Amino acid sequence: MEMINKIGRRKTSVARIYMAPGNGTITVNNRSLEVHFPFELHQIVVKQPLTLVGVDGNYDIKINVDGGGSTGQAEAARMAISRALCEFDIEHRPALKKEGFLTRDPRMVERKKPGRRKARRKFQFSKR
């Protein structure tokens, strides 16, 4: 039984996964997927690559996520799972690449500038 270790990133989140053939249990930070991601959309995002290639329930996945918010963590996990699926079977690669699951999203939060309230938002203008 081979265990595959992959990493995925999104915004400031990092997901490290350990994936092995099994009965489809997904644990995130030693908790179930439903407990760590109570919002159903994030659960769907994490499972997207598995359902796309039709192997949902064939692998046991242990995910360690760190940093960022829940959306970033879910998308980081999705990327790591996609990379692991390519390692298990190279045939999955074209389908996953077409959906964009193997591409690192380079968008990061823009830094706050001096003399501004946020990165681009100016302070409220006061006439007097």
Side-chain angles (χ1 to χ4, degrees), residues 63-113:
I63 310 173
N64 293 321
V65 280
D66 186 47
S70 47
T71 300
Q73 287 186 352
E75 291 184 17
R78 176 175 75 181
M79 183 184 190
I81 291 167
S82 302
R83 285 175 168 178
L85 285 170
C86 288
E87 192 102 342
F88 272 115
D89 187 359
I90 201 74
E91 301 290 308
H92 296 328
R93 192 173 167 81
L96 292 166
K97 194 161 176 62
K98 186 172 177 287
E99 289 296 319
F101 294 164
L102 299 172
T103 311
R104 162 73 162 103
D105 194 334
R107 295 177 297 175
M108 297 293 276
V109 176
E110 198 174 331
R111 82 174 198 89
K112 187 198 171 303
K113 316 291 189 307

